[in-house]
Amino acid sequence: MTGARRVPGAGLLAGAPAVSFSFDGRRHTGVAGESLATALLANGERTIARSFKYHRPRGVMGVGNEDPAGLVTLARPSGDEPNSRATMVELYDGLAARGQNAWPSVRWDMTAVTDLLSPLFPAGFYYKTFMGPAAAWPLYEKVIRRIAGLGAVPATPDTELCTSTHAHGDLLIAGGGAAGLQAALVAARAGARVLLADENPWFGLGLLGEDARIDGEPAQTWAKAALEELSGLENVTLLPRTTVAGRYEQGFVILCEKLRDGPALAGDPSPRWRLWKLRVGSTIIATGAIERPMVFANNDRPGVMTVGAVGAYLNRYGLLVGEQVVIAASDDDAHRVASQLARAGAEVTVADTRDSGSGVAAAAGVEVLWRSRVADTAGRGGVAGVQIEGPSGRRWISATIAASRGGWSPALHLYAQTGGKAVWDDARAMFVPGAPEIGAVTVGPCNGTMDLAAALAEATAASSAVCGELGYSVTSAVPTVDGADTASGIPGFATPANRKRSFVDVQNDVTIADLDLAVREGYRSIEHVKRYTTLGMGTDQGKLGNINGIRAIAEARGEPMSSVGTTRFRPPYVPLPIGAVAAHMSPEHHHPMRRTAIHDLHAQAGCVWLKAGAWLRPQFYRRGTETDLEAVNREVLAVRNNVGLVDVSTLGKIELAGPDVVTFLNRIYTNGWSTLKPGMGRYGLMLREDGVVFDDGVTMRLGESHYVMSTTSGGAGAVREWMTRLLETRWRDLNVAVVPVTEQWFAAALAGPMARDVLARVAEGFDVSNEAFPFMGARVGKIAGIPARVFRISFSGEMSYEINVPSDRAVELWKALLEAGKPEAMAPYGVESMGVLRLEKGHFVVGREADGRTTPYDLGLGRMVSSKKWFIGKEALDFPEMKNPQRRHVVGIVPVDRKQRLPGSAHLIHADQIDAVGASQGWIVSSAWSPTFDHDIALALLDGGQARHGERMLAYAPIGGGKADVEIVSPHFYDPDGGRQIG
Amino acid sequence: MLLISCPYCGERPEEEFAFGGDASVVPPNGAGEGAPVGTETFADYLYLRDNPKGRHREHWIHRYGCQRWIEVERDTVTHEIHAVRVAGEGK
């Protein structure tokens, strides 16, 4: 046993109720609100996790977010939360946690056999061992993923509520210790809008156990008064349990607030996490410093801790972590912690590397060994003995806790995230912030200022300066400090003899020997060594161990720390729950879903919905017990033989007006527009500047200088932005107004040989006869009494009229058209049927056959490319490669045996090359059963396809293995002359 | 996340905008209708972009705002925004 025991009346939670919880199924009792780590230590749970690679036992080392390996899975009614930091979870009644990365449990981990094999797992082991053959990688991956890793990703969605909020302020103060509180007081009294965030449930924790007096009061009394004053001010927002996770440019900061750890109470809608997206004038970074442990042999056993953590468990939580404690340090503050432990009843030994120092521990009955350090630990399942190395040699003493402090590492992450450079300071043995960053200032220990009085002075000055810049007048003075510890000694770094068992990163099992090896193998840059050895790549990002790692690399390279430097600091500072990042953006709210103006009518008609980009569209309308295919076949044949009605209002609609529209159209479309008369329209092909097809659609000329352009559904936004970009940046001399009107107009198309008969019954104000209203004509009039624009255009290949009415008249129009089509028993058809109709006709679709690499020539649309004028994409189309006859062309595909179905996702290959690498000469892009031809048809992209009509190939789907002999044909299966749409 | 001062709308967060590339690049044939240019010259215009460390003139569109194009002069290292102006009115 460790001898951990609670000290009655001690800590911030004295008097809090007892609660029950469980770890790996074992029932325990703890104190409500203490950290899970505290409760586990108090109940003698030493091994709470296993390390990433060797599965070595891991216990609690730290007290906050710096704890490297104390990760557990919380089993909650809302779903498992893996990789929860035991030091950061607040205990609640009924909490159930379990260990992870172990089988069957962290206490008895069978996979720990990897530890015995650790000589076989050096740095870069995975890279070196699992090189090949490539085909075996899936097998390796399966095994590695099973034995190396953290918690399991839950299989079910987390049902916990999360939220996010935007906020503004003058000043954010990150960290609510002494410096943070003082900075907040200065700014708050000056009237600035202040936000003060600390990741702990309490502010001023750094002053716990502090003997110094501030402004004549005990430090804790000063902190309490400061907090009380701040709580009463309206211009102050206090954010406990809130981690400042990321600092970005122009005052943008991300904070993650934990609102509760316990389950939601019945009727309480409070979320678990809230992500703050904050914009502030300035940020004062008062995040303190992280204690740096010493490195010694077997320094990864449960029971190895930092001095500050041991002190914090006593002063914050009233827990003595062990009866026999060794403290290894080189500063006076550690002696104060030792004296507190001794007074609480522990048997304490201090090993101090210095020649002499504070007498406060000795006075409390602690054995103090000068010029001594910890060399090794021993024990099964945790520390049982500590070896101390001193002037008189080495000796083992009995202890369950080996606490060390090798120095401090300023938590300058928020400073460095925007590019601030951490600079090595030899005198203080720490990386400190270098040149100031815009919009942020570091104060206190985070700035390398460990002395309390100096930290408070720095905070006062920084806050006053920021307030002054923002126009607030400051009146606060620097608090006085008496009785603080003298400045820390500088320990330097020990060079452990047993490098193979001297860990610098206990989560990822990186030892000094691993770093030595990486340097020997030629890795020099800290960034490369990090990735090769995984130093600091765990969820803790090396908060505790990185500096020791950098030191080891410097030593191996024989260079100073400053030459090695740090790895790049990137947000977030701590791992963020993914739920907090997603917040309310659940799948259905991640992107707005667009519905057409007659959505409800489609639903009433029994349509099957299809998500098409941002739109929800009817795929087809099922009748009775029809299968999907039967419904689509019926709809297709109705259009071919009779008439159908389709909602096409998702197509982009953009109005163009002004004297220069024709000039503009001539520049953005490949074909010519100068001869288009009012009342007529033209199909246009739009290219990117690199000659690739960008969008297509029909543009109608409604009046002398008034046009309406139609774009693809998906391209509506991009086409508009492209056009306004050209007009606003390049062709500012052109007078063209561009107005997107997709939402303002509803559009439905009547299609089929009987379309004109139906139209004639509802058209008012214009003649619908073929002579008066020819193909590609545009008419403005009324349909069933509704003002309408009617365009005679066709996508199906049949005679077709697209009727546009204001969106608020859409329901009226749709009902009137169905009524008018009753004699023909006209029914609506969906996007799936429209897709079959266009495939039969051989029309390409942007995003399918035009896949971002296709030119007009590849689509067989060379006739659309004018040689008489300049247009966007012309220079690129003239590149020699663009007319290479071996480019991939669109072709038609039919199965040789017409009864055979075409495989999905098939490549086109020669039948004898089925196993050859690189045999693919193209692939099927769109395929469907054609009820018109009674067999499958497809469009494909094929190398040099235009010259290969009549050739036979094998359509082969490597995934799934489907294959069919196919014939290459013209892509125009149905009515290639186009007579049906004109008649 | 940048804070961009749209000349039409005022200060707005970056998520309302979309990036539109280097504003200093102009087609080698003037406004687009000029004399033909060689393949090399046009390919350079299409595909080669400088990646400057420091000040960069770039186009942005205020997509979820006024939907106008603007020119932003941004420091690629510090993200400081030195100027924002109406597109096409730059140097």
Side-chain angles (χ1 to χ4, degrees), chain A residues 249-250 279 667 689 721 725 728 730-732 870 875, chain B residues 1-3 20 29 31-33 45 63 69 79 87:
Chain A
E249 55 279 351
Q250 285 137 23
R279 186 80 69 172
R667 291 183 189 178
E689 288 191 287
E721 288 183 3
R725 176 179 203 160
E728 291 178 33
R730 219 188 274 187
W731 300 328
R732 294 171 61 82
W870 180 88
E875 291 89 348
Chain B
M1 189 167 61
L2 299 173
L3 189 65
N29 43 2
E33 294 192 293
Y45 159 68
R63 179 176 285 165
W69 286 89
H79 292 295

PDB file of all heavy atoms in Angstrom, chain A residues 249-250 279 667 689 721 725 728 730-732 870 875, chain B residues 1-3 20 29 31-33 45 63 69 79 87:
ATOM      1  N   GLU A 249      -4.793  35.109 -34.767  1.00  0.00           N
ATOM      2  CA  GLU A 249      -4.505  36.477 -35.143  1.00  0.00           C
ATOM      3  C   GLU A 249      -5.668  37.409 -34.800  1.00  0.00           C
ATOM      4  O   GLU A 249      -6.805  37.003 -34.676  1.00  0.00           O
ATOM      5  CB  GLU A 249      -4.190  36.570 -36.649  1.00  0.00           C
ATOM      6  CG  GLU A 249      -5.259  36.012 -37.568  1.00  0.00           C
ATOM      7  CD  GLU A 249      -5.210  34.501 -37.704  1.00  0.00           C
ATOM      8  OE1 GLU A 249      -4.256  33.868 -37.234  1.00  0.00           O
ATOM      9  OE2 GLU A 249      -6.164  33.948 -38.282  1.00  0.00           O
ATOM     10  N   GLN A 250      -5.342  38.670 -34.679  1.00  0.00           N
ATOM     11  CA  GLN A 250      -6.317  39.732 -34.479  1.00  0.00           C
ATOM     12  C   GLN A 250      -7.271  39.483 -33.303  1.00  0.00           C
ATOM     13  O   GLN A 250      -8.487  39.637 -33.417  1.00  0.00           O
ATOM     14  CB  GLN A 250      -7.085  40.005 -35.779  1.00  0.00           C
ATOM     15  CG  GLN A 250      -6.230  40.775 -36.758  1.00  0.00           C
ATOM     16  CD  GLN A 250      -6.324  40.269 -38.171  1.00  0.00           C
ATOM     17  OE1 GLN A 250      -7.291  39.644 -38.542  1.00  0.00           O
ATOM     18  NE2 GLN A 250      -5.311  40.557 -38.956  1.00  0.00           N
ATOM     19  N   ARG A 279     -13.285  37.436 -29.318  1.00  0.00           N
ATOM     20  CA  ARG A 279     -12.475  38.445 -30.009  1.00  0.00           C
ATOM     21  C   ARG A 279     -12.177  39.525 -28.982  1.00  0.00           C
ATOM     22  O   ARG A 279     -13.104  40.146 -28.455  1.00  0.00           O
ATOM     23  CB  ARG A 279     -13.266  38.993 -31.193  1.00  0.00           C
ATOM     24  CG  ARG A 279     -12.517  39.932 -32.065  1.00  0.00           C
ATOM     25  CD  ARG A 279     -11.584  39.276 -33.054  1.00  0.00           C
ATOM     26  NE  ARG A 279     -12.256  38.537 -34.110  1.00  0.00           N
ATOM     27  CZ  ARG A 279     -11.637  38.014 -35.154  1.00  0.00           C
ATOM     28  NH1 ARG A 279     -10.331  38.137 -35.292  1.00  0.00           N
ATOM     29  NH2 ARG A 279     -12.294  37.344 -36.063  1.00  0.00           N
ATOM     30  N   ARG A 667     -17.193  36.873 -73.724  1.00  0.00           N
ATOM     31  CA  ARG A 667     -15.906  36.613 -73.077  1.00  0.00           C
ATOM     32  C   ARG A 667     -15.942  35.417 -72.136  1.00  0.00           C
ATOM     33  O   ARG A 667     -14.920  34.781 -71.914  1.00  0.00           O
ATOM     34  CB  ARG A 667     -15.466  37.843 -72.266  1.00  0.00           C
ATOM     35  CG  ARG A 667     -15.086  39.024 -73.137  1.00  0.00           C
ATOM     36  CD  ARG A 667     -14.597  40.156 -72.259  1.00  0.00           C
ATOM     37  NE  ARG A 667     -14.419  41.390 -73.013  1.00  0.00           N
ATOM     38  CZ  ARG A 667     -14.026  42.534 -72.463  1.00  0.00           C
ATOM     39  NH1 ARG A 667     -13.788  42.592 -71.160  1.00  0.00           N
ATOM     40  NH2 ARG A 667     -13.885  43.600 -73.188  1.00  0.00           N
ATOM     41  N   GLU A 689     -10.022  29.301 -66.654  1.00  0.00           N
ATOM     42  CA  GLU A 689      -8.922  29.876 -67.434  1.00  0.00           C
ATOM     43  C   GLU A 689      -7.973  28.804 -67.957  1.00  0.00           C
ATOM     44  O   GLU A 689      -7.249  29.045 -68.904  1.00  0.00           O
ATOM     45  CB  GLU A 689      -8.143  30.892 -66.586  1.00  0.00           C
ATOM     46  CG  GLU A 689      -8.915  32.172 -66.354  1.00  0.00           C
ATOM     47  CD  GLU A 689      -8.033  33.249 -65.759  1.00  0.00           C
ATOM     48  OE1 GLU A 689      -7.703  33.108 -64.571  1.00  0.00           O
ATOM     49  OE2 GLU A 689      -7.682  34.201 -66.463  1.00  0.00           O
ATOM     50  N   GLU A 721     -19.996  34.170 -58.431  1.00  0.00           N
ATOM     51  CA  GLU A 721     -18.777  34.766 -57.874  1.00  0.00           C
ATOM     52  C   GLU A 721     -17.719  34.985 -58.955  1.00  0.00           C
ATOM     53  O   GLU A 721     -16.990  35.972 -58.937  1.00  0.00           O
ATOM     54  CB  GLU A 721     -18.230  33.890 -56.737  1.00  0.00           C
ATOM     55  CG  GLU A 721     -19.102  33.975 -55.498  1.00  0.00           C
ATOM     56  CD  GLU A 721     -18.552  33.186 -54.311  1.00  0.00           C
ATOM     57  OE1 GLU A 721     -17.456  32.605 -54.431  1.00  0.00           O
ATOM     58  OE2 GLU A 721     -19.227  33.161 -53.269  1.00  0.00           O
ATOM     59  N   ARG A 725     -16.415  38.601 -59.957  1.00  0.00           N
ATOM     60  CA  ARG A 725     -14.975  38.802 -59.829  1.00  0.00           C
ATOM     61  C   ARG A 725     -14.396  39.441 -61.090  1.00  0.00           C
ATOM     62  O   ARG A 725     -13.617  40.390 -61.032  1.00  0.00           O
ATOM     63  CB  ARG A 725     -14.295  37.459 -59.583  1.00  0.00           C
ATOM     64  CG  ARG A 725     -12.812  37.574 -59.535  1.00  0.00           C
ATOM     65  CD  ARG A 725     -12.151  36.251 -59.280  1.00  0.00           C
ATOM     66  NE  ARG A 725     -10.838  36.527 -58.703  1.00  0.00           N
ATOM     67  CZ  ARG A 725     -10.128  35.672 -58.024  1.00  0.00           C
ATOM     68  NH1 ARG A 725     -10.591  34.478 -57.799  1.00  0.00           N
ATOM     69  NH2 ARG A 725      -8.963  35.993 -57.538  1.00  0.00           N
ATOM     70  N   GLU A 728     -15.629  43.019 -61.299  1.00  0.00           N
ATOM     71  CA  GLU A 728     -15.161  43.945 -60.265  1.00  0.00           C
ATOM     72  C   GLU A 728     -13.645  44.111 -60.258  1.00  0.00           C
ATOM     73  O   GLU A 728     -13.140  45.115 -59.759  1.00  0.00           O
ATOM     74  CB  GLU A 728     -15.634  43.487 -58.880  1.00  0.00           C
ATOM     75  CG  GLU A 728     -17.142  43.631 -58.694  1.00  0.00           C
ATOM     76  CD  GLU A 728     -17.621  43.142 -57.336  1.00  0.00           C
ATOM     77  OE1 GLU A 728     -16.880  43.267 -56.348  1.00  0.00           O
ATOM     78  OE2 GLU A 728     -18.744  42.618 -57.268  1.00  0.00           O
ATOM     79  N   ARG A 730     -11.366  42.837 -63.135  1.00  0.00           N
ATOM     80  CA  ARG A 730     -10.643  42.829 -64.400  1.00  0.00           C
ATOM     81  C   ARG A 730     -11.289  43.717 -65.457  1.00  0.00           C
ATOM     82  O   ARG A 730     -10.605  44.361 -66.220  1.00  0.00           O
ATOM     83  CB  ARG A 730     -10.586  41.387 -64.906  1.00  0.00           C
ATOM     84  CG  ARG A 730      -9.259  41.047 -65.538  1.00  0.00           C
ATOM     85  CD  ARG A 730      -9.295  39.707 -66.185  1.00  0.00           C
ATOM     86  NE  ARG A 730      -8.992  38.620 -65.266  1.00  0.00           N
ATOM     87  CZ  ARG A 730      -8.839  37.357 -65.668  1.00  0.00           C
ATOM     88  NH1 ARG A 730      -8.969  37.026 -66.936  1.00  0.00           N
ATOM     89  NH2 ARG A 730      -8.578  36.418 -64.808  1.00  0.00           N
ATOM     90  N   TRP A 731     -12.604  43.669 -65.475  1.00  0.00           N
ATOM     91  CA  TRP A 731     -13.306  44.387 -66.549  1.00  0.00           C
ATOM     92  C   TRP A 731     -14.222  45.433 -65.938  1.00  0.00           C
ATOM     93  O   TRP A 731     -15.434  45.452 -66.161  1.00  0.00           O
ATOM     94  CB  TRP A 731     -14.119  43.402 -67.410  1.00  0.00           C
ATOM     95  CG  TRP A 731     -13.261  42.359 -68.044  1.00  0.00           C
ATOM     96  CD1 TRP A 731     -11.970  42.473 -68.465  1.00  0.00           C
ATOM     97  CD2 TRP A 731     -13.630  40.997 -68.324  1.00  0.00           C
ATOM     98  NE1 TRP A 731     -11.498  41.294 -68.984  1.00  0.00           N
ATOM     99  CE2 TRP A 731     -12.506  40.358 -68.916  1.00  0.00           C
ATOM    100  CE3 TRP A 731     -14.796  40.246 -68.144  1.00  0.00           C
ATOM    101  CZ2 TRP A 731     -12.519  39.033 -69.318  1.00  0.00           C
ATOM    102  CZ3 TRP A 731     -14.808  38.925 -68.560  1.00  0.00           C
ATOM    103  CH2 TRP A 731     -13.676  38.328 -69.139  1.00  0.00           C
ATOM    104  N   ARG A 732     -13.627  46.326 -65.185  1.00  0.00           N
ATOM    105  CA  ARG A 732     -14.428  47.353 -64.510  1.00  0.00           C
ATOM    106  C   ARG A 732     -15.042  48.341 -65.490  1.00  0.00           C
ATOM    107  O   ARG A 732     -15.928  49.113 -65.130  1.00  0.00           O
ATOM    108  CB  ARG A 732     -13.560  48.069 -63.465  1.00  0.00           C
ATOM    109  CG  ARG A 732     -13.145  47.134 -62.338  1.00  0.00           C
ATOM    110  CD  ARG A 732     -12.112  47.761 -61.414  1.00  0.00           C
ATOM    111  NE  ARG A 732     -12.620  48.959 -60.757  1.00  0.00           N
ATOM    112  CZ  ARG A 732     -13.383  48.963 -59.679  1.00  0.00           C
ATOM    113  NH1 ARG A 732     -13.734  47.805 -59.138  1.00  0.00           N
ATOM    114  NH2 ARG A 732     -13.785  50.086 -59.137  1.00  0.00           N
ATOM    115  N   TRP A 870     -12.214  35.942 -78.792  1.00  0.00           N
ATOM    116  CA  TRP A 870     -11.501  35.526 -77.587  1.00  0.00           C
ATOM    117  C   TRP A 870     -12.525  35.159 -76.513  1.00  0.00           C
ATOM    118  O   TRP A 870     -13.606  35.725 -76.444  1.00  0.00           O
ATOM    119  CB  TRP A 870     -10.621  36.678 -77.083  1.00  0.00           C
ATOM    120  CG  TRP A 870      -9.869  36.309 -75.838  1.00  0.00           C
ATOM    121  CD1 TRP A 870      -8.649  35.720 -75.772  1.00  0.00           C
ATOM    122  CD2 TRP A 870     -10.311  36.504 -74.493  1.00  0.00           C
ATOM    123  NE1 TRP A 870      -8.296  35.523 -74.467  1.00  0.00           N
ATOM    124  CE2 TRP A 870      -9.298  35.986 -73.645  1.00  0.00           C
ATOM    125  CE3 TRP A 870     -11.458  37.033 -73.905  1.00  0.00           C
ATOM    126  CZ2 TRP A 870      -9.385  35.997 -72.255  1.00  0.00           C
ATOM    127  CZ3 TRP A 870     -11.563  37.047 -72.518  1.00  0.00           C
ATOM    128  CH2 TRP A 870     -10.532  36.533 -71.703  1.00  0.00           C
ATOM    129  N   GLU A 875      -6.611  30.560 -74.442  1.00  0.00           N
ATOM    130  CA  GLU A 875      -5.163  30.338 -74.492  1.00  0.00           C
ATOM    131  C   GLU A 875      -4.839  28.899 -74.090  1.00  0.00           C
ATOM    132  O   GLU A 875      -4.019  28.230 -74.717  1.00  0.00           O
ATOM    133  CB  GLU A 875      -4.434  31.307 -73.544  1.00  0.00           C
ATOM    134  CG  GLU A 875      -4.478  32.757 -73.966  1.00  0.00           C
ATOM    135  CD  GLU A 875      -5.696  33.477 -73.420  1.00  0.00           C
ATOM    136  OE1 GLU A 875      -6.611  32.809 -72.910  1.00  0.00           O
ATOM    137  OE2 GLU A 875      -5.741  34.714 -73.526  1.00  0.00           O
TER     138      GLU A 875
ATOM    139  N   MET B   1      -8.457  33.267 -36.604  1.00  0.00           N
ATOM    140  CA  MET B   1      -9.436  33.735 -37.594  1.00  0.00           C
ATOM    141  C   MET B   1      -9.278  35.237 -37.786  1.00  0.00           C
ATOM    142  O   MET B   1      -9.287  35.998 -36.843  1.00  0.00           O
ATOM    143  CB  MET B   1     -10.853  33.408 -37.117  1.00  0.00           C
ATOM    144  CG  MET B   1     -11.881  33.656 -38.187  1.00  0.00           C
ATOM    145  SD  MET B   1     -13.486  32.940 -37.785  1.00  0.00           S
ATOM    146  CE  MET B   1     -13.893  33.792 -36.284  1.00  0.00           C
ATOM    147  N   LEU B   2      -9.118  35.632 -39.043  1.00  0.00           N
ATOM    148  CA  LEU B   2      -8.877  37.033 -39.351  1.00  0.00           C
ATOM    149  C   LEU B   2     -10.105  37.881 -39.042  1.00  0.00           C
ATOM    150  O   LEU B   2     -11.232  37.385 -39.002  1.00  0.00           O
ATOM    151  CB  LEU B   2      -8.551  37.191 -40.840  1.00  0.00           C
ATOM    152  CG  LEU B   2      -7.315  36.480 -41.370  1.00  0.00           C
ATOM    153  CD1 LEU B   2      -7.256  36.616 -42.880  1.00  0.00           C
ATOM    154  CD2 LEU B   2      -6.064  37.044 -40.737  1.00  0.00           C
ATOM    155  N   LEU B   3      -9.856  39.150 -38.841  1.00  0.00           N
ATOM    156  CA  LEU B   3     -10.927  40.134 -38.736  1.00  0.00           C
ATOM    157  C   LEU B   3     -10.696  41.080 -39.914  1.00  0.00           C
ATOM    158  O   LEU B   3      -9.677  41.760 -39.975  1.00  0.00           O
ATOM    159  CB  LEU B   3     -10.822  40.869 -37.402  1.00  0.00           C
ATOM    160  CG  LEU B   3     -11.974  41.773 -37.022  1.00  0.00           C
ATOM    161  CD1 LEU B   3     -13.248  40.953 -36.824  1.00  0.00           C
ATOM    162  CD2 LEU B   3     -11.644  42.517 -35.730  1.00  0.00           C
ATOM    163  N   GLY B  20      -9.595  34.477 -52.471  1.00  0.00           N
ATOM    164  CA  GLY B  20      -9.623  34.447 -53.937  1.00  0.00           C
ATOM    165  C   GLY B  20      -8.269  34.558 -54.604  1.00  0.00           C
ATOM    166  O   GLY B  20      -8.201  34.835 -55.787  1.00  0.00           O
ATOM    167  N   ASN B  29      -2.198  39.020 -71.247  1.00  0.00           N
ATOM    168  CA  ASN B  29      -2.717  39.699 -72.431  1.00  0.00           C
ATOM    169  C   ASN B  29      -3.681  40.812 -72.019  1.00  0.00           C
ATOM    170  O   ASN B  29      -4.762  40.962 -72.560  1.00  0.00           O
ATOM    171  CB  ASN B  29      -3.395  38.714 -73.372  1.00  0.00           C
ATOM    172  CG  ASN B  29      -4.265  37.732 -72.597  1.00  0.00           C
ATOM    173  OD1 ASN B  29      -4.374  37.829 -71.380  1.00  0.00           O
ATOM    174  ND2 ASN B  29      -4.878  36.806 -73.282  1.00  0.00           N
ATOM    175  N   ALA B  31      -6.504  42.887 -70.374  1.00  0.00           N
ATOM    176  CA  ALA B  31      -7.800  42.592 -69.778  1.00  0.00           C
ATOM    177  C   ALA B  31      -8.353  41.262 -70.253  1.00  0.00           C
ATOM    178  O   ALA B  31      -9.415  40.852 -69.839  1.00  0.00           O
ATOM    179  CB  ALA B  31      -8.777  43.705 -70.107  1.00  0.00           C
ATOM    180  N   GLY B  32      -7.673  40.589 -71.121  1.00  0.00           N
ATOM    181  CA  GLY B  32      -8.157  39.292 -71.556  1.00  0.00           C
ATOM    182  C   GLY B  32      -8.397  39.236 -73.052  1.00  0.00           C
ATOM    183  O   GLY B  32      -8.495  38.174 -73.638  1.00  0.00           O
ATOM    184  N   GLU B  33      -8.476  40.373 -73.675  1.00  0.00           N
ATOM    185  CA  GLU B  33      -8.779  40.373 -75.104  1.00  0.00           C
ATOM    186  C   GLU B  33      -7.607  40.848 -75.931  1.00  0.00           C
ATOM    187  O   GLU B  33      -7.748  41.142 -77.092  1.00  0.00           O
ATOM    188  CB  GLU B  33      -9.991  41.274 -75.369  1.00  0.00           C
ATOM    189  CG  GLU B  33     -11.255  40.737 -74.765  1.00  0.00           C
ATOM    190  CD  GLU B  33     -12.475  41.488 -75.275  1.00  0.00           C
ATOM    191  OE1 GLU B  33     -12.601  42.676 -74.959  1.00  0.00           O
ATOM    192  OE2 GLU B  33     -13.274  40.893 -75.994  1.00  0.00           O
ATOM    193  N   TYR B  45       1.332  32.230 -66.033  1.00  0.00           N
ATOM    194  CA  TYR B  45       0.228  32.998 -65.448  1.00  0.00           C
ATOM    195  C   TYR B  45      -0.781  32.072 -64.768  1.00  0.00           C
ATOM    196  O   TYR B  45      -1.263  32.345 -63.662  1.00  0.00           O
ATOM    197  CB  TYR B  45      -0.454  33.821 -66.541  1.00  0.00           C
ATOM    198  CG  TYR B  45      -1.858  34.254 -66.193  1.00  0.00           C
ATOM    199  CD1 TYR B  45      -2.099  35.188 -65.177  1.00  0.00           C
ATOM    200  CD2 TYR B  45      -2.958  33.706 -66.857  1.00  0.00           C
ATOM    201  CE1 TYR B  45      -3.388  35.567 -64.857  1.00  0.00           C
ATOM    202  CE2 TYR B  45      -4.255  34.082 -66.526  1.00  0.00           C
ATOM    203  CZ  TYR B  45      -4.463  35.004 -65.520  1.00  0.00           C
ATOM    204  OH  TYR B  45      -5.738  35.372 -65.177  1.00  0.00           O
ATOM    205  N   ARG B  63     -18.516  36.663 -49.048  1.00  0.00           N
ATOM    206  CA  ARG B  63     -19.509  35.711 -49.538  1.00  0.00           C
ATOM    207  C   ARG B  63     -20.802  35.746 -48.734  1.00  0.00           C
ATOM    208  O   ARG B  63     -21.887  35.714 -49.280  1.00  0.00           O
ATOM    209  CB  ARG B  63     -18.913  34.296 -49.510  1.00  0.00           C
ATOM    210  CG  ARG B  63     -19.873  33.233 -49.968  1.00  0.00           C
ATOM    211  CD  ARG B  63     -19.224  31.870 -50.022  1.00  0.00           C
ATOM    212  NE  ARG B  63     -18.332  31.749 -51.175  1.00  0.00           N
ATOM    213  CZ  ARG B  63     -17.425  30.773 -51.310  1.00  0.00           C
ATOM    214  NH1 ARG B  63     -17.270  29.889 -50.355  1.00  0.00           N
ATOM    215  NH2 ARG B  63     -16.674  30.711 -52.374  1.00  0.00           N
ATOM    216  N   TRP B  69     -16.295  41.710 -54.134  1.00  0.00           N
ATOM    217  CA  TRP B  69     -14.873  41.374 -54.089  1.00  0.00           C
ATOM    218  C   TRP B  69     -14.090  42.530 -53.499  1.00  0.00           C
ATOM    219  O   TRP B  69     -14.382  43.693 -53.783  1.00  0.00           O
ATOM    220  CB  TRP B  69     -14.363  41.060 -55.495  1.00  0.00           C
ATOM    221  CG  TRP B  69     -14.845  39.719 -55.948  1.00  0.00           C
ATOM    222  CD1 TRP B  69     -16.008  39.458 -56.608  1.00  0.00           C
ATOM    223  CD2 TRP B  69     -14.209  38.460 -55.738  1.00  0.00           C
ATOM    224  NE1 TRP B  69     -16.134  38.110 -56.830  1.00  0.00           N
ATOM    225  CE2 TRP B  69     -15.041  37.466 -56.309  1.00  0.00           C
ATOM    226  CE3 TRP B  69     -13.014  38.068 -55.132  1.00  0.00           C
ATOM    227  CZ2 TRP B  69     -14.714  36.118 -56.289  1.00  0.00           C
ATOM    228  CZ3 TRP B  69     -12.694  36.720 -55.113  1.00  0.00           C
ATOM    229  CH2 TRP B  69     -13.540  35.761 -55.680  1.00  0.00           C
ATOM    230  N   HIS B  79      -0.158  37.716 -40.080  1.00  0.00           N
ATOM    231  CA  HIS B  79      -1.588  37.878 -40.391  1.00  0.00           C
ATOM    232  C   HIS B  79      -2.073  39.302 -40.135  1.00  0.00           C
ATOM    233  O   HIS B  79      -3.276  39.546 -40.121  1.00  0.00           O
ATOM    234  CB  HIS B  79      -2.458  36.889 -39.625  1.00  0.00           C
ATOM    235  CG  HIS B  79      -2.263  35.483 -40.052  1.00  0.00           C
ATOM    236  ND1 HIS B  79      -2.579  35.033 -41.302  1.00  0.00           N
ATOM    237  CD2 HIS B  79      -1.737  34.423 -39.391  1.00  0.00           C
ATOM    238  CE1 HIS B  79      -2.269  33.750 -41.402  1.00  0.00           C
ATOM    239  NE2 HIS B  79      -1.749  33.354 -40.257  1.00  0.00           N
ATOM    240  N   ALA B  87     -12.028  45.977 -54.573  1.00  0.00           N
ATOM    241  CA  ALA B  87     -11.231  45.249 -55.553  1.00  0.00           C
ATOM    242  C   ALA B  87     -11.067  46.078 -56.822  1.00  0.00           C
ATOM    243  O   ALA B  87     -11.963  46.826 -57.208  1.00  0.00           O
ATOM    244  CB  ALA B  87     -11.902  43.922 -55.883  1.00  0.00           C
TER     245      ALA B  87
END
